[in-house]
């Protein structure tokens, strides 16, 4: 079955960086676009970034464009989210998703606070 396992979350001060990873299994990873979403307390889950199966195409939410970078390693079946210049508004649980499916990871907490 499909499994998506995120890691890399933690606590960081404003302006800091974190790199999230999501290891996928149970499907042909390189065939599938992958995305990151996040959900802050008392807010709806929102789209963060998307990467095409081959990795050549990316899309970002306006709120993170220029600060976050999504990438993937199709040999290691892993998708990454490099988050730079983090802001308190980035505090959320971050989820990996096999794009436009019901396959989600369990989430990893990111807290940005001074």
């Amino acid at each position: 079955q499909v499994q998506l396992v995120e890691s890399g979350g933690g606590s960081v001060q404003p302006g800091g960086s974190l790199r999230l990873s999501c290891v996928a299994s149970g499907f042909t990873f390189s065939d599938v676009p992958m995305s990151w979403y996040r959900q802050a307390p008392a807010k709806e889950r929102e789209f963060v970034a998307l990467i095409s199966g081959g990795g050549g195409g990316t899309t970002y939410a306006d709120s993170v464009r220029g600060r976050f970078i999504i990438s993937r390693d199709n040999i290691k079946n892993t998708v990454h989210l490099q988050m730079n210049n983090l802001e308190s508004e980035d505090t959320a649980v971050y989820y990996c998703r096999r794009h436009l499916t019901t396959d989600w990871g369990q989430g990893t907490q990111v807290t940005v606070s001074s």
Side-chain angles (χ1 to χ4, degrees):
Q1 73 276 21
V2 173
Q3 284 194 319
L4 300 170
V5 181
E6 301 100 334
S7 62
S11 295
V12 64
Q13 292 186 340
S17 297
L18 283 173
R19 188 187 194 215
L20 306 183
S21 298
C22 170
V23 179
S25 61
F27 61 99
T28 304
F29 183 72
S30 59
D31 286 350
V32 176
M34 296 294 295
S35 50
W36 287 95
Y37 285 68
R38 66 186 182 186
Q39 187 165 17
K43 292 189 176 181
E44 292 188 355
R45 194 171 295 189
E46 64 175 1
F47 169 80
V48 174
L50 166 69
I51 188 166
S52 63
T58 56
T59 303
Y60 297 93
D62 289 344
S63 58
V64 307
R65 187 176 295 112
R67 299 188 298 122
F68 290 11
I69 301 171
I70 188 171
S71 62
R72 65 191 296 158
D73 182 338
N74 285 347
I75 301 298
K76 296 181 178 179
N77 284 7
T78 303
V79 59
H80 301 287
L81 186 68
Q82 176 68 42
M83 306 186 295
N84 301 318
N85 194 20
L86 283 160
E87 304 168 353
S88 57
E89 293 78 11
D90 297 317
T91 295
V93 178
Y94 283 72
Y95 297 90
C96 170
R97 182 188 186 189
R98 188 167 70 141
H99 195 56
L100 298 181
T101 72
T102 57
D103 298 320
W104 297 84
Q106 82 288 351
T108 186
Q109 176 70 48
V110 171
T111 302
V112 185
S113 174
S114 56

